[in-house]
Amino acid sequence: MKAALTHIASVVKLGSGALLPALVLSTILGGCATTATAPAIRLPAIDVPAAGETTPVGTANVDAADDPAIWRNAANPAASLILGTDKKAGLYVYGLDGKVRDFAAAGALNNVDLREVRRGGVTTILVGASDRTDRAEPRIALFALDGASGKLTPLGAETFLPAGHAPAEAYGFCMGSALASGELARAYVVLKDGSVAESRLIEREGRIAADYVRLVKFATQSEGCVVDDAGKVLFVAEEDVGIWKVPLAGDRLVPEAFAKVGAADGLVADVEGLAVAREDGGRAWLVASSQGDSAYALFDLGTGKPAGRFRIDGGALGGTSDTDGIEVALGDFGPAYPEGLMMAQDGDNAPHAQNFKLLSWRAIRSALALD
């Protein structure tokens, strides 16, 4: 098993947008599991059947579906909405029945996330996605989602890196709650070179703008990320290395090793989508797509230790494989998903185009004995 020496540079912004290297951290994170001699995963993966699925994305015969997001309708949980990207074409909105409610033909949108924010005294479901349409100029595509109709209203595609930056491709994306007054939310774009750029989403001249704050760089390609709002922590998946935990408090982003590729943590490269499942006032888990063996690993956020592994398989809808993006939201989503909902991209939905599978969180809890 080879050790991966990872160099990380955290960068903060000075007044006019100039960049100052603030920290260089060298950490050995053992265990690239992509070699023929990689150890077998010790934790078994338990089969959990899908309870639903979405209509396939419109782009067929290629890798197209990528990342989901979930909006829970607190007033009518069964009327909640789910979203998924077609990274060749745009963004879908589905009902919990998996049927298409809307489609925004917005180009090459890769990862998607959402937050409820207050704009002008009104709650808005703000949706953001990494826009790869221009591979040299990364942007955040923004939309407002109407919870009643399921329709998306485009709000523009915002650049966020300081002037004069090197060409960069937007890749991963996640959102977090505001960390300071005057903000709607925070946005995190994972660039193809392993950098993660943090921006404030703010109101400016009647539109939502992305105001760059700081950057942290990982040594190799990364994509999946998720923000634990309650813990004020960003998690990032460095695909061939493992998962990093990045506390968001303070002026600098200082990563900490959380889980590594290899037998002990149950991850097989590539490590892809990440999601946080946090109970109200209770336990919380980080869920990760272990793409290399088409499984999903859970970690207890209270202890940082592995809590189990599962695969989506069995049942009438078939399983998933080669999963990119995932999402989990807890709470009542109606009779089919009484404790919460998980979505996972299916990389092989033959004979149809790729789609997203839906799972009951209750079924996952039961299978892994999380009670």
Side-chain angles (χ1 to χ4, degrees), residues 51-56 71 77-83 93-102 149 317 333-337 341 343 355-358:
E53 65 179 340
T54 67
T55 299
W71 175 71
S80 298
L81 299 170
I82 55 180
L83 295 85
V93 180
Y94 308 92
L96 292 184
D97 59 2
K99 295 180 180 179
V100 176
R101 299 285 296 274
D102 195 19
S149 68
L317 299 178
F333 281 83
Y337 310 99
L341 169 67
M343 290 182 69
N355 71 347
F356 300 89
K357 297 296 194 289
L358 283 65

Side-chain angles (χ1 to χ4, degrees), residues 4-347:
L5 181 61
T6 303
H7 298 285
I8 305 166
S10 178
V11 180
V12 295
K13 180 182 177 185
L14 298 181
S16 64
L19 298 179
L20 173 68
L23 174 69
V24 177
L25 174 66
S26 295
T27 302
I28 293 178
L29 190 61
C32 291
T34 55
T35 66
T37 58
I41 296 298
R42 290 195 293 267
L43 289 171
I46 300 170
D47 287 350
V48 180
E53 65 179 340
T54 67
T55 299
V57 299
T59 303
N61 302 318
V62 295
D63 181 26
D66 197 89
D67 190 52
I70 300 171
W71 175 71
R72 180 176 176 271
N73 186 332
N76 184 6
S80 298
L81 299 170
I82 55 180
L83 295 85
T85 59
D86 179 334
K87 61 187 175 186
K88 309 296 184 182
L91 180 62
Y92 284 92
V93 180
Y94 308 92
L96 292 184
D97 59 2
K99 295 180 180 179
V100 176
R101 299 285 296 274
D102 195 19
F103 175 70
L109 304 186
N110 202 52
N111 285 191
V112 63
D113 204 355
L114 60 83
R115 288 292 186 277
E116 290 189 356
V117 302
R118 297 289 289 178
R119 299 185 69 196
V122 178
T123 298
T124 297
I125 307 168
L126 178 63
V127 179
S130 51
D131 188 346
R132 303 172 69 192
T133 304
D134 185 339
R135 296 298 174 96
E137 184 63 61
R139 291 181 171 86
I140 301 170
L142 296 171
F143 305 85
L145 173 64
D146 187 313
S149 68
K151 301 301 181 183
L152 291 165
T153 300
L155 301 178
E158 297 295 316
T159 59
F160 54 89
L161 290 179
H165 68 84
E169 180 183 343
Y171 200 42
F173 180 81
C174 54
M175 295 173 70
S177 297
L179 296 177
S181 62
E183 302 175 0
L184 298 173
R186 290 275 172 122
Y188 301 85
V189 180
V190 184
L191 305 176
K192 197 66 176 285
D193 69 356
S195 302
V196 183
E198 180 187 40
S199 299
R200 301 181 184 94
L201 297 181
I202 58 173
E203 297 277 3
R204 180 182 292 156
E205 299 176 352
R207 64 182 179 86
I208 299 176
D211 183 18
Y212 173 84
V213 180
R214 51 192 175 177
L215 179 145
V216 59
K217 190 175 190 314
F218 298 91
T220 62
Q221 183 170 299
S222 305
E223 181 181 3
C225 71
V226 67
V227 177
D228 176 16
D229 288 326
K232 291 183 171 56
V233 170
L234 170 71
F235 292 94
V236 178
E238 189 175 2
E239 294 182 357
D240 290 335
V241 177
I243 301 171
W244 296 90
K245 176 181 178 180
V246 188
L248 297 175
D251 295 330
R252 300 182 301 177
L253 298 177
V254 182
E256 305 167 2
F258 181 80
K260 65 183 179 180
V261 166
D265 288 332
L267 296 172
V268 179
D270 293 347
V271 185
E272 289 283 343
L274 301 176
V276 170
R278 182 175 286 277
E279 298 177 343
D280 289 339
R283 297 176 65 186
W285 294 268
L286 179 71
V287 188
S289 169
S290 177
Q291 190 183 71
D293 66 340
S294 297
Y296 308 89
L298 267 73
F299 299 87
D300 188 319
L301 287 183
T303 65
K305 296 180 179 180
R309 302 174 77 245
F310 67 96
R311 288 190 175 90
I312 301 173
D313 204 1
L317 299 178
T320 60
S321 60
D322 303 319
T323 293
D324 287 324
I326 63 173
E327 182 62 292
V328 177
L330 301 190
D332 178 17
F333 281 83
Y337 310 99
E339 296 180 13
L341 169 67
M342 176 176 171
M343 290 182 69
Q345 180 258 10
D346 186 3

